[in-house]
Amino acid sequence: MINILIIIVLLIILFFVSIMMIPFHISLILSNSGLEFKGYFKVTWMRIRLFKRDIPSKEEEEEKKEEKKKEKSKWTIERVQKVFNLFLEAFPHFQKVFYAVINSFTLEKLIIHIKMGMDSPVDTAQIAGIFWSISSWVNLYPNVSLYIQPEFMKTTLEGDIELELKLKLLWIVIESLKAITKRPVRNFINEIRA
């Protein structure tokens, strides 16, 4: 009976580990025309769309305004100082989680296209030259492309960004669980939640 229970627990753990090894795909498409941003943010897992948000979202802006009106600050100088000190104690454990997050991301594609123009064609040429020199170094990285298109006849700043990332959660979850077992991290979390 105990052997069957152990096998079931191991199968459940193996199932969750395999789920965390399958990467999440994160996509951000954003375009700027004048001062108007349009695009979307999407998260998929095994080609199943988990989350999609259009940019800009009018519902979020209205909710934030209402929350600011309702919410009153409970933070005092003493509490901020206490939280900061607790954060400093827990920082080495958070640092491991931060490194796990950075190492869990894989850049699949980054394309940046900028169309810019200044008042003077000379200024446009100088700024474009600076961006072209930067883009020559940036474009050496695989899956990264930076394009600059100067517009000499009018003042403009427009652009498009296309970003795709892969995220594996296994090491983030492991490091987070390790961090939560430490007393300074628990004290910090409890103080934030209070």
Side-chain angles (χ1 to χ4, degrees), residues 4-165:
I4 295 173
L5 186 63
I6 291 173
I7 291 173
I8 291 172
V9 169
L10 288 176
L11 287 174
I12 291 171
I13 291 172
L14 182 65
F15 174 73
F16 282 114
V17 167
S18 64
I19 285 175
M20 287 187 274
M21 287 299 294
I22 299 171
F24 289 85
H25 293 272
I26 302 168
S27 300
L28 172 69
I29 307 292
L30 189 65
S31 64
N32 170 28
S33 178
L35 296 175
E36 186 176 324
F37 289 95
K38 292 182 180 177
Y40 67 89
F41 176 76
K42 180 173 68 170
V43 178
T44 58
W45 182 70
M46 293 179 52
R47 299 188 188 266
I48 300 169
R49 185 174 71 194
L50 301 175
F51 178 80
K52 183 176 180 182
R53 181 72 53 150
D54 291 330
I55 300 171
S57 176
K58 295 179 182 177
E59 297 170 1
E60 285 182 2
E61 294 173 4
E62 293 173 3
E63 288 176 7
K64 286 180 183 178
K65 289 178 183 178
E66 290 177 10
E67 286 178 11
K68 286 181 182 179
K69 291 178 183 177
K70 292 179 182 177
E71 188 176 307
K72 293 185 179 179
S73 179
K74 297 179 182 178
W75 292 83
T76 62
I77 302 255
E78 293 81 18
R79 184 164 184 223
V80 170
Q81 185 178 12
K82 183 178 180 182
V83 168
F84 182 71
N85 289 334
L86 289 172
F87 175 75
L88 289 179
E89 289 177 21
F91 182 72
H93 309 293
F94 284 132
Q95 192 174 10
K96 293 177 184 176
V97 174
F98 178 71
Y99 288 138
V101 169
I102 289 177
N103 292 331
S104 296
F105 278 103
T106 304
L107 180 67
E108 287 189 330
K109 179 170 48 169
L110 174 62
I111 299 173
I112 301 173
H113 183 261
I114 299 173
K115 183 178 180 182
M116 53 152 297
M118 308 287 271
D119 289 334
S120 167
V122 175
D123 292 339
T124 302
Q126 288 177 344
I127 299 296
I130 292 170
F131 278 120
W132 282 333
S133 65
I134 292 170
S135 70
S136 66
W137 286 95
V138 170
N139 291 338
L140 292 176
Y141 292 103
N143 306 329
V144 177
S145 299
L146 175 62
Y147 303 106
I148 308 299
Q149 179 182 350
E151 185 71 38
F152 293 106
M153 296 300 173
K154 64 179 180 178
T155 303
T156 184
L157 181 59
E158 298 176 356
D160 299 321
I161 296 175
E162 187 174 345
L163 173 67
E164 291 184 13
L165 300 169

